[in-house]
Amino acid sequence: MYEADGAGADRVGADGAGAERVGAGNGTGDGSMRVLVAEDEEVLAELVATGLRRAGFAVDTVYSGDAALAYLGLHDYDVVVLDRDLPRVHGDDVARKLVADASRTRILMLTASVSMEDRVEGLDLGADDYLGKPFDFPELVSRVRALRRRSARPVPPQLERHGVRLDSVRRTATRDGRELDLSPKEFSVLQILLEADGAPVSAEELLERAWDAHADPFTGAVRVCLSKLRSKLGDPPLIRTVQGVGYTL
C-alpha cells in the first residue's frame, strides 16, 4: 500500500493501492512545476498527489470535473492528471474545454479502460498522453516530467547568471563551482529567478508557480524560502528585493 507520508510501495491501482518509492527532499524535485490531479476516487487522488509532492511537484487535487475546470481557470498548471470518468463534468469534456481554449496545460489521461479503442479515443480528444490503471508510479512521474518539457514554458537545460549555474536536467545548482544543497522549493525559486534573466519576479508569481493552491499568501512562505536561499547562495548577496515589485537575481 502506498503510504500517506510518501514512503512508497510498488504500484498504484484503480483501488488506490501502491506506488514505488520516489526521491524527495534531496534537491532533485520539480517544485517549479505545477500539477492538478483530477480523480474522483479520493484515496487514490491523495495518494498520487502525495507521491508527486514527494517527487518535488506543487500539486492540487480535485474530485470532479466541474472542480477541475474551476481550478484550471484559476491557476496556471503545467500538467493535469485527468481521470476520464469524473462526476458532474466528464473528464472528456474537461479535455475538450482545455483544447478549445488553446490551453498550454498538458493532459495526462488516466482510465481503468486500457483497450486500444479507448486509448485512441482519449488521444483524439486532445490528451497528450494516456495511462491505464493500475500503473507503475515511477512511470507516472516520468510521463508528467516529459509533458512538462513539452509545455509552452520550456525550461532551458542550463541557466547561468552571476556565477550561479543551474542544470534543470540533472537538478543541480552551483555558485562559482560550489555545489548548493537546496531543497526542492529553494531549487524551484532559484530556477524561476534565473529564468527571469534579471527582471523582477513578484512574490505572487513565485507563490503561483512554486506552491500549491493551499499555500496561504499571508504566511510569509516566499519570504522564508528566499531568506534560506540567500543564506545558501552566500556572499556577496545576489538576490535583491525591489521594493513594491518583487525579487531579482
Side-chain angles (χ1 to χ4, degrees):
M1 192 72 172
Y2 186 74
E3 298 173 14
D5 64 356
D10 294 322
R11 287 171 70 83
V12 175
D15 59 354
E20 188 168 309
R21 182 180 299 271
V22 179
N26 54 8
T28 61
D30 296 85
S32 62
M33 178 174 175
R34 191 156 188 183
V35 180
L36 178 66
V37 175
E39 164 64 59
D40 67 323
E41 297 179 35
E42 294 190 21
V43 173
L44 175 58
E46 294 306 324
L47 290 174
V48 169
T50 298
L52 289 173
R53 291 187 188 108
R54 293 288 293 174
F57 303 104
V59 186
D60 298 320
T61 55
V62 293
Y63 314 118
S64 64
D66 56 342
L69 288 175
Y71 269 61
L72 288 162
L74 287 171
H75 306 292
D76 184 22
Y77 292 100
D78 296 285
V79 176
V80 55
V81 179
L82 180 66
D83 181 46
R84 285 193 74 176
D85 298 318
L86 291 174
R88 295 200 286 274
V89 176
H90 197 274
D92 291 357
D93 293 323
V94 175
R96 290 189 184 99
K97 173 67 172 167
L98 287 172
V99 172
D101 292 345
S103 172
R104 75 168 196 90
T105 301
R106 299 297 183 176
I107 303 170
L108 173 57
M109 193 168 276
L110 296 179
T111 182
S113 302
V114 292
S115 69
M116 179 61 69
E117 292 78 9
D118 286 321
R119 187 181 300 270
V120 170
E121 183 180 0
L123 293 172
D124 284 345
L125 286 168
D128 298 281
D129 202 354
Y130 199 98
L131 193 59
K133 305 173 186 176
F135 53 84
D136 292 315
F137 196 79
E139 182 180 5
L140 173 67
V141 173
S142 178
R143 287 174 182 248
V144 168
R145 284 185 176 135
L147 290 178
R148 168 63 172 87
R149 291 192 292 270
R150 291 165 53 189
S151 73
R153 188 173 60 212
V155 178
Q158 290 194 350
L159 297 163
E160 187 169 5
R161 186 175 177 83
H162 299 315
V164 176
R165 180 187 292 268
L166 182 146
D167 190 318
S168 63
V169 177
R170 294 183 175 85
R171 312 300 297 178
T172 59
T174 60
R175 179 179 184 182
D176 298 328
R178 173 177 61 86
E179 187 171 352
L180 301 173
D181 183 18
L182 304 180
S183 72
K185 199 69 69 182
E186 292 158 0
F187 187 96
S188 167
V189 169
L190 178 60
Q191 179 174 312
I192 294 168
L193 292 173
L194 285 168
E195 286 176 2
D197 196 27
V201 181
S202 69
E204 290 77 14
E205 181 178 351
L206 289 171
L207 197 66
E208 168 71 20
R209 292 180 59 185
W211 278 264
D212 62 31
H214 300 291
D216 185 344
F218 302 107
T219 61
V222 172
R223 178 178 51 79
V224 171
C225 183
L226 280 165
S227 175
K228 293 179 180 178
L229 180 57
R230 281 178 167 128
S231 176
K232 291 183 179 182
L233 285 171
D235 292 322
L238 291 179
I239 298 176
R240 183 169 61 92
T241 300
V242 182
Q243 196 66 33
V245 179
Y247 305 91
T248 184
L249 188 148

